Amino acid sequence: MTATATSTAGTRERTAPWSGQSVARKEDGRLVQGQGSFIDDLGMHGQGYAWFVRSPHAHARIVSVDPSRALAAEGVYAVLTGEEAKQMCEVPFFQIAPGAGARIEEWPLAVDKVRYQGDAVAVVLADTRDAARDAAELVDVDYEPLAVVVDGVAAADPGAVVLHEEAGTNVAWHGTYDYGDIDWALESADHVVRIDRLHFHRFSSTPLECNGATVNWDRGSGMVEVKSNLQMPMFAAMVIGPTLGVPINKFSFSSRDIGGAFGNKIAFYPQIAALALLSRKAGRPAKWTEYRTEHMMTSTHGNERTFLDIEVPVMGDGSILGVKVRAYDDVGAYLHYEPLGAVIWSQVVPGCYKMKHVRVDFTTTLTNKCPVSPNRGYSRMQHLWMLERIIDIVAHELGFDPVELRKRNYVQPEDYPYETPNGCVYDSGDLPRSLDIALGLAQVDFWRRRKQELGTGKGKRVGIGIGSTLDSGTNNFGQARIINPDLPFSGNGEAALAKLDLYGEVNINLGTTPQGQSHETTSAQVAADILNMSPEDVTVTVGFDQAHNSFVGFSGTYASQFAVTGLGAVMGATEKLRDQILEVGSFALEAPKEELELSSGTCMVRGDPSRSIPFIGIANLVYTNNAVLPPELRSTVDLNCRYVYVPPFAVPDAEHKTGNLTLTYASQIHVCVVEVDEETGATEIVSYAAVDDCGNRVNPRIVEGQVHGAAALGIGAALYETFDYDEEGQLEQPSFYEYHAGTALDIPDIQSGYLESPSPFTPNGAKGMGEGGGAPLHAVCAAIQDVLGKDDAVVSDSHNSSERVYELLHSADHHRARGVTVVSRPSADA
Amino acid sequence: MLLKSVEYVRPGSVDEALHLLRSNAGAAPLAGGQSLSNILKHRVASVDVLVDISSLDELREIQRRPDGSIEVGACVTYDELDRSLGVRAGHEIIARVASHIEDSQIRNRGTIGGNCCLSDPTNNLPPLLIALDATMHVRSAGGSRRVPVEEFFKGYFLTALEPGELLTSVEIPALPAGARAGYASLNVAADSKAIVRSAARVKVNEVIEEARVVLARVAPVPIRHRGMEEALVGAAPTAESVRAAADTIGEDLEPVADSHGSSEYRRQMARVVARRAVLEAIGQGGGM
């Protein structure tokens, strides 16, 4: 069943079922009143404050590091240098890459060489943050600058300066994905559209809260306690454990409230490792709160990808047969989570389209730039942007209507479940209908008339663009084997604990790390429905805590999966708890389980409220009065129910690069209307609509909030936000002075609508969502393309400042290469 | 320390403030602190004594005189400029420009004096004050002087103020009969850093009799573009003649390039924003 409507946020009196309703967020009370526990709110007794000494050079040999002046400064507890840190470690960080990439030796701090501006060479611990900062300036580092490579394509040249000599190359990974028969398609097509180059730029999603951690290496117990705002703590634990020589059960990781993460807080494990060693050396906890410029320069950026020599076979009726392309992913100076970006995109090989023949020659390169790691829409966004650019360029070049061209090529509603050329299975959806809803919400009919009236030369031009995107969620970690067949990873999962506490209180405990995804609220809704009580009476313990034991190796909050894996675990655990309550109730009420029901915190005989026992009575029998229970019940019922949800995945075929790589595919269809100032290139969004289909929505308003947030980040990236490096490898936007993160003033009113196409593969019909960050990049670029004339260059970059749009508007006057050619078969009806 | 340890003094009068500034070589006046505190945080300036002038009543007044001119105390905030009936009565454009500076937190603290004395080329008010032919009132322990606004801005973060001197107020004459002002800015995004901006004051009496056209972000300080001004004088107040005058802006400019725009783009855009500012001043466009 599919339902549709524009969003409403009702305030009516609510009753069960709770799932599917816009229940008010349980989190809001404390978060909006300044009562959250964010990373800088947390600390440990006796802590010192850490400050990293960072390289001003993008590439240099470290001749010497002399901490003596810093050590003499007032308040300084310790200084840890890169070489010292290495001596305290057992092995370099684990590498995901095979071959050359696997040979890279990365340590908690730079040793011998720095490889990007901001690379940390030492870290200072002092009694105040300011004392640490002052002392960091006194650490004398002698550098011998080296040649720099900042271009992700040039970095792959055999003659390029090499960042990691032990690897012998800047190519961290290379592979060819080849599905169908692209050579046949190119020979058989009526038209072949060739695009020279598309470039997806660097940016980041700018969490309000930067990274941070307090780490204590306890000498007595050997326990390493890590309070941080990592969003996937056990990934960090698994990477740094062997390096530090610390077994996982000697770590105690925890994450509380997180002020935005977007994937950016998955991979700052080198800092955690350095802080652990610093604490070990100083004999006291080390607290570090990242500064904004430090964050922008050294935390992480999103993947920058260049697509070269794109060839697109198109039939006369507009059917697009496939695509052939060379892709270069510039991942910066170290491999943090990379080169997984080289496979993650293949969750959406054909995008929203039925193309069958795809060949992608993919190269991951290292450059003297900030390392990348996942950023909202990770890796799929780049690929989907390329596909959407292709659709619009094909439409522009061959004279197709972009709406009709999309509808012709979309996977159709009757095609689901739809298997893609590489064996992924799109679960459900209705893309043509989503597009129609979005066109209506954006009032495209009105804007088409306005576009006609204005035409060109009147100062403003109107452009209309569409962005079709897939938010693939719940990924199969087996796809890592496509990068490295030796990696023993596959599947996915999440854990939850459901518990009655001593006085019968209902508690749900999770291992996830929400950053605005409202896990407290949605978990309570789901549990309340199973226990037939109000979500207000369900307490959800949020934030990761290793001591709670509610985690698996994949726990965290990332990759659009909580609605499936997290809520799947909550459902399983709560159902187990319900069963145990009924078992005890059956004994207490002397009635068969089948005749019992739960209602608002009591267990009763159906139809006979006089025969009931409240949850406090159930808890009493199990926790504090268990001698009255029969032995078989004592041994099987504990009111502490752990459940691990495991999605139904198989191990992918690494050799052929095929398999089901993600469980669900939410879709986002965005429509953007821009007015472009012909004289300046300034682009203003005058109408914007986003239609999201994420299956059954557990809480519609929370879904809408995610849609708005993702759209805002994408709009900011499309028009304002970019990280550029100069030839010396200096970041040109190291602060908000240069990097304009989109604000409320910049983001238009977003008309949001929805479809609900339930997923047949998930416990609740829901799909993970929240990463629709790419759609605005597609839609804004398409809208700008729509204002350009036949002789102008095509929109080939994902970032379009006023100046770039101005250049595009004047590209024909300056006889700039258009960047696209079309070869048609003589018989083809162009 | 994040902020180096400094002495902080809150004088009770302008005279006391001037005495403090004269007697401490490392003293600096602190008004709204929206720029100075950032500079100190980035450790690019060294200050030993902060002389907090922000609550001196003498510096917080806006006086509207019978001749229509206004004198604005150096510590009047952007928000107060925006709300002042005295400013709005004859200089609505100042209120409008002030209302577009950054966000309300900054507008509650930042001052007209600070905006001028920092001489940051991206600041909103300096080009407008040049267009409006303001006079800067400067005092020191030894006396006072009036500095024509065009002589006030000397370079990046550099003004005509001598050590020990304090900008106390900005005097803005009434618009001459038949004159109006215009202001246009091309920004990175809404109400953000300017790529290029322009302010203009144009007097029309059938033909354009007088024109002051100021460009900002094309040089270290806002500059009047004499070529465009000369081309305007005597011309009919029409879009065509304004366009022709703006086309005199060209190779004479060598704007800086930075992450917000290339030199060539700034040169092209200078023509556009100057034209739009003048068009607004002659009542033929919206400005901004």
Side-chain angles (χ1 to χ4, degrees), chain A residues 108-160:
Chain A
L109 298 165
V111 178
D112 298 333
K113 267 177 82 170
V114 290
R115 296 179 177 86
Y116 71 102
Q117 181 196 18
D119 207 352
V121 295
V123 58
V124 176
L125 195 72
D127 59 355
T128 66
R129 186 191 300 182
D130 295 331
R133 184 187 184 200
D134 283 344
E137 289 185 356
L138 301 175
V139 175
D140 294 305
V141 186
D142 192 7
Y143 297 100
E144 184 185 298
L146 299 168
V148 166
V149 59
V150 291
D151 183 295
V153 178
D157 288 346

Side-chain angles (χ1 to χ4, degrees), chain B residues 240-252:
Chain B
E240 293 71 34
S241 54
V242 175
R243 178 180 293 276
D247 285 346
T248 63
I249 298 174
E251 302 306 314
D252 55 330

Side-chain angles (χ1 to χ4, degrees), chain A residues 53-58 116-121 297-298:
Chain A
V53 179
R54 297 189 176 279
S55 167
H57 302 284
Y116 71 102
Q117 181 196 18
D119 207 352
V121 295
M297 195 178 280
T298 71

Side-chain angles (χ1 to χ4, degrees), chain B residues 127 130-131 198-202 210-216 222-230 232 245-246 249 270 273-275 277-278:
Chain B
I130 294 175
S198 176
R201 192 185 79 180
V202 183
E210 186 192 301
R212 295 170 68 89
V213 181
V214 184
L215 291 168
I223 52 164
R224 285 179 66 182
H225 197 274
R226 308 281 177 183
M228 181 165 174
E229 291 177 357
E230 283 162 21
L232 284 169
I249 298 174
V273 294
R275 176 160 48 79
V278 171

Side-chain angles (χ1 to χ4, degrees), chain A residues 148-178:
Chain A
V148 166
V149 59
V150 291
D151 183 295
V153 178
D157 288 346
V161 59
V162 172
L163 274 75
H164 298 269
E165 283 86 355
E166 62 276 17
T169 171
N170 297 322
V171 175
W173 193 82
H174 172 259
T176 302
Y177 296 79
D178 201 356

Side-chain angles (χ1 to χ4, degrees), chain A residues 295-313:
Chain A
H295 180 81
M296 297 173 98
M297 195 178 280
T298 71
S299 171
T300 187
H301 296 165
N303 293 48
E304 179 181 356
R305 194 170 296 168
T306 306
F307 303 93
L308 297 177
D309 305 331
I310 301 160
E311 295 183 76
V312 187

Side-chain angles (χ1 to χ4, degrees), chain A residues 69-105:
Chain A
R69 287 200 302 142
L71 284 167
E74 199 179 320
V76 172
Y77 295 134
V79 179
L80 181 76
T81 67
E83 183 59 37
E84 260 180 290
K86 180 182 171 182
Q87 297 305 325
M88 294 165 81
C89 290
E90 303 205 346
V91 289
F93 292 136
F94 158 79
Q95 294 290 343
I96 290 168
R103 294 198 296 272
I104 289 174
E105 285 191 15

Side-chain angles (χ1 to χ4, degrees), chain A residues 323-336:
Chain A
V323 59
K324 180 182 172 189
V325 61
R326 291 193 294 135
Y328 285 83
D329 222 19
D330 169 356
V331 300
Y334 297 93
L335 301 174
H336 295 164

